[in-house]
Amino acid sequence: VERIADAGVTRVVAAVEDPNPLVRGRGFAYLRSRGIEVQVGVAEEAAIRINQPFFTLMSEGRPFVILKAALSLDGYLAASPGQPTALTSEPANRHSHRLRAQVDAIAVGVGTVLADDPQLTARGAYRERPLVRVIFDRHLRTPPKARLLSTRTAGPVMIVTAADGAAATDRRSALSAAGAEIVIADGTVRSGLQVLGARGISALLLEGGAALQEAAWTEGVVDYIRLYVTPHVIGPGGVQFLGGRPLSALTGEGARIEPLGPDVLMEGYVHRAG
């Protein structure tokens, strides 16, 4: 800002004001006090879209949440609760791993860890920084020998638990010894996200399972939805996505559809920051 003021500039054009309360408006005020005209709002929508995670972190104190799921053609996540069901094709899987490489953290519920034992790494995709893997686990049921905890070179593992879960000292000690960081929230998804936001996590991919995703949706903390719809049909008795709720987010502004092999990517905003 000082360099601009000293360079003989008479007018500055900006897209948006910095939402960080520590600096908000101070740079513009400095320039105006030295007779420089500051115009704000040029390409505002594009700037908000590009900086969505940071704006959400500043305004909500939590990460920008992308809810990601693979669905059968009839709207199911799996054939039955706790049963891993492979649905997506290789092109969709590659696309999904590229998405993992673009966020700060991936989160799943403990049910997904118990059923799938995932690694939650961005395989085949370049990434500059370690990827934080997050498990929402109110009662610390995560096994200390979970595969996530054997891949800590890929990034740290955080387990978000409630106070009663953290009080289970034997389980907590075993998970800490295995390399997990135990963080305590009040039991809601929002409070867990705010704990992560306080650690600087600004973009989070919420991959499962069904109960965690439905809770996040109900609490209003989902900002973007990305669905991989496959040609498989599961039929009655399957695990429904968000309890069968209709998704207006996939027909509103910014919604898009892209074929990925035999699958179809459908995505769109639930709401935006700014």
Side-chain angles (χ1 to χ4, degrees):
V1 171
E2 292 177 357
R3 288 181 181 178
I4 293 174
D6 293 340
V9 175
T10 59
R11 183 167 178 261
V12 171
V13 176
V16 290
E17 189 175 68
D18 192 326
N20 188 334
L22 297 177
V23 299
R24 172 177 254 168
R26 291 173 58 184
F28 292 166
Y30 180 90
L31 293 172
R32 288 176 175 132
S33 71
R34 282 152 179 77
I36 298 174
E37 178 189 352
V38 179
Q39 181 181 349
V40 182
V42 177
E44 180 178 11
E45 280 296 315
I48 291 174
R49 186 167 58 251
I50 292 170
N51 294 285
Q52 189 85 62
F54 177 68
F55 282 18
T56 300
L57 183 62
M58 290 295 103
S59 63
E60 301 287 334
R62 62 167 178 83
F64 180 78
V65 175
I66 304 167
L67 190 156
K68 172 252 179 180
L71 300 181
S72 65
L73 191 60
D74 50 349
Y76 293 100
L77 294 162
S80 62
Q83 178 181 336
T85 306
L87 294 172
T88 46
S89 64
E90 187 56 34
N93 290 339
R94 287 197 300 269
H95 187 278
S96 176
H97 279 274
R98 288 198 299 272
L99 172 62
R100 285 181 174 184
Q102 296 169 9
V103 297
D104 298 323
I106 304 175
V108 296
V110 65
T112 297
V113 174
L114 295 174
D116 296 348
D117 196 17
Q119 293 183 349
L120 300 182
T121 55
R123 295 185 293 278
Y126 173 74
R127 183 178 169 79
E128 291 185 0
R129 296 184 298 168
L131 179 64
V132 179
R133 281 81 57 76
V134 179
I135 306 169
F136 282 80
D137 182 1
R138 293 189 62 174
H139 303 294
L140 289 187
R141 295 188 294 145
T142 300
K145 293 185 178 181
R147 289 202 301 164
L148 258 117
L149 294 168
S150 69
T151 59
R152 282 180 291 131
T153 54
V157 176
M158 293 183 182
I159 299 179
V160 179
T161 190
D164 56 346
T169 55
D170 289 347
R171 292 197 295 271
R172 181 173 183 173
S173 297
L175 289 166
S176 296
E181 178 185 355
I182 310 298
V183 296
I184 303 173
D186 70 6
T188 64
V189 180
R190 182 181 292 275
S191 68
L193 292 172
Q194 287 172 335
V195 169
L196 299 176
R199 285 163 167 74
I201 294 174
S202 63
L204 179 138
L205 183 63
L206 187 60
E207 289 209 349
L212 177 61
Q213 290 182 339
E214 188 168 357
W217 182 266
T218 300
E219 292 182 29
V221 294
V222 174
D223 302 295
Y224 196 84
I225 286 185
R226 181 166 281 160
L227 301 181
Y228 297 91
V229 182
T230 74
H232 302 279
V233 175
I234 289 178
V239 179
Q240 286 188 313
F241 176 60
L242 298 183
R245 289 177 173 85
L247 291 175
S248 59
L250 300 180
T251 58
E253 180 186 358
R256 62 182 295 271
I257 296 174
E258 177 184 349
L260 294 168
D263 306 326
V264 175
L265 169 66
M266 302 177 66
E267 60 184 351
Y269 284 96
V270 177
H271 50 75
R272 304 189 189 193

